[in-house]
């Protein structure tokens, strides 16, 4: 995410802009995980989620970037959801809300 958001020597500016535009256009049904909190319209976000059934339950993963509250941060949330997809999605969303709330407070 750092390379996509702020640049690397591997990706061109055009490639980065293209990736960010795709990651900012997630359809509402798939907008969960790192971008779960009700984000103000002033926030910028880019996200990519992945999920699938695996032995022992679903795996749900979310990575992304959120800019807001005067901070920019990347987050990656990896999970194993033995109770299924919706349980995992709600859990990953809860972690995301905790992270977002923590970023609203000044860092000490």
């Amino acid at each position: 995410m750092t390379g996509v958001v702020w640049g690397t020597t591997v990706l061109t500016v055009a490639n980065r802009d293209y990736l960010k535009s795709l990651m900012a256009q997630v359809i509402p049904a798939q907008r969960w995980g790192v971008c779960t909190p009700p984000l103000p319209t002033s926030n910028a976000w880019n996200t990519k989620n992945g999920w699938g059934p695996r032995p022992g339950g679903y795996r749900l993963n979310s990575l992304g970037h959120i800019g807001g509250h005067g901070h920019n941060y990347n987050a990656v949330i990896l999970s194993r959801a033995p109770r299924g997809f919706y349980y995992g999605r709600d859990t990953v969303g809860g972690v995301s809300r905790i992270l977002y709330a923590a970023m609203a407070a000044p860092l000490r």
Side-chain angles (χ1 to χ4, degrees):
M1 279 310 306
T2 299
V4 172
V5 174
W6 290 290
T8 68
T9 57
V10 177
L11 298 172
T12 66
V13 171
N15 288 338
R16 288 179 38 236
D17 289 344
Y18 178 66
L19 284 171
K20 288 190 290 187
S21 74
L22 292 176
M23 294 174 75
Q25 298 178 41
V26 177
I27 64 171
Q30 294 181 6
R31 190 173 175 212
W32 51 267
V34 170
C35 64
T36 291
L39 302 173
T41 56
S42 61
N43 285 69
W45 59 268
N46 309 93
T47 191
K48 175 64 178 123
N49 298 323
W51 63 93
R54 304 291 295 167
Y58 258 77
R59 302 300 188 269
L60 292 95
N61 304 316
S62 181
L63 71 94
H65 169 264
I66 294 177
H69 294 305
H71 301 284
N72 284 291
Y73 67 94
N74 296 329
V76 177
I77 305 169
L78 309 175
S79 74
R80 177 176 164 260
R83 296 186 205 159
F85 172 79
Y86 293 104
Y87 173 83
R89 185 185 67 179
D90 292 346
T91 301
V92 170
V95 170
S96 182
R97 283 187 289 279
I98 291 167
L99 291 172
Y100 188 74
M103 291 305 295
L107 298 176
R108 299 188 199 283

